Amino acid sequence: MINFMKITKVIGFSISTVLFISACSTIQVSENYDTSYDFSKLKTFNYIPSKDKKHALTIRQIQKELKTQLAAKGFRFVTANPDFQIAVYGGSEDKVSIQSTYSGYNYGGWYRGGYGGGIYSGSTIDVYEYKEGTLVLDFVDGKSKEVVFQSISTKELARNPDMETRLKNIKNVVTKAIRTFPPDLKKK
């Protein structure tokens, strides 16, 4: 005899899990900037050296992607006297998400050979553990040394990504992190 409730429960769990994982994998970005700052004067940049030796390779990969994308926006990388500098830092945190799904009631029904009675009621609880990464980019004025633009990006990290996936993720997060840099203050 086929247990349709069990099949429905398994299908429901699989679909809800896939939808949940897809929803969590988007990049969330929050930005803040000095509305009185003249961003139009910015032409050249470089990086504030990172003290994070543990993630030095990843930071260099992020800086390389920043350099590419900022060049496409008309900024030029220089080794001395930049108009602005970028500090790159971040981290990761273990997260847990718990979702409960109510399955409803089943009073039985007809099946081959007769009527099956009984009442079934239940719910499923899905526990999902993941690691969330945060990337912070501080854009610092070259003269005043004040932060004039900040972008904070968070995203669920892929588990054991290959190099191609890792670099694609870096490209995507940098694209979203600087999508509004420099801010167009004329629109305000």
Side-chain angles (χ1 to χ4, degrees):
M1 177 173 82
I2 299 173
N3 185 342
F4 289 104
M5 251 338 257
K6 188 172 184 179
I7 291 172
T8 303
K9 198 173 179 180
V10 169
I11 291 171
F13 172 78
S14 299
I15 292 171
S16 68
T17 302
V18 168
L19 289 174
F20 178 71
I21 291 171
S22 297
C24 284
S25 62
T26 60
I27 301 168
Q28 302 296 319
V29 179
S30 66
E31 297 152 338
N32 194 5
Y33 57 88
D34 182 347
T35 57
S36 65
Y37 188 78
D38 181 8
F39 288 93
S40 67
K41 69 181 183 179
L42 302 179
K43 307 291 182 220
T44 61
F45 74 98
N46 71 16
Y47 303 109
I48 294 173
S50 175
K51 295 177 182 148
D52 183 356
K53 301 304 177 202
K54 181 178 178 186
H55 301 103
L57 180 59
T58 302
I59 290 170
R60 283 196 315 269
Q61 291 166 334
I62 292 167
Q63 289 173 337
K64 181 179 178 187
E65 186 60 38
L66 274 165
K67 187 175 180 181
T68 299
Q69 291 192 29
L70 287 172
K73 290 183 174 217
F75 296 100
R76 190 170 43 90
F77 181 82
V78 295
T79 56
N81 302 316
D83 296 328
F84 68 99
Q85 293 182 290
I86 305 171
V88 177
Y89 52 100
S92 62
E93 181 178 19
D94 292 327
K95 297 279 192 168
V96 176
S97 177
I98 301 172
Q99 288 191 331
S100 178
T101 308
Y102 177 66
S103 301
Y105 288 96
N106 181 7
Y107 295 102
W110 288 99
Y111 68 96
R112 189 172 160 210
Y115 179 81
I119 297 175
Y120 169 81
S121 172
S123 63
T124 58
I125 297 175
D126 299 326
V127 178
Y128 180 65
E129 296 180 22
Y130 62 100
K131 189 171 283 289
E132 181 180 82
T134 301
L135 172 65
V136 179
L137 302 175
D138 281 344
F139 291 66
V140 178
D141 181 80
K143 292 183 177 129
S144 72
K145 304 302 181 198
E146 295 288 327
V147 175
V148 295
F149 183 93
Q150 183 180 65
S151 177
I152 302 172
S153 307
T154 57
K155 181 186 184 314
E156 178 183 339
L157 299 177
R159 295 182 182 168
N160 303 317
D162 59 23
M163 185 52 67
E164 183 179 341
T165 301
R166 177 182 296 273
L167 294 175
K168 181 180 173 188
N169 286 341
I170 287 172
K171 181 177 183 172
N172 289 339
V173 75
V174 168
T175 298
K176 290 192 177 186
I178 65 168
R179 76 180 186 282
T180 64
F181 181 83
D184 185 0
L185 299 179
K186 294 175 189 168
K187 290 182 180 177
K188 304 283 179 203

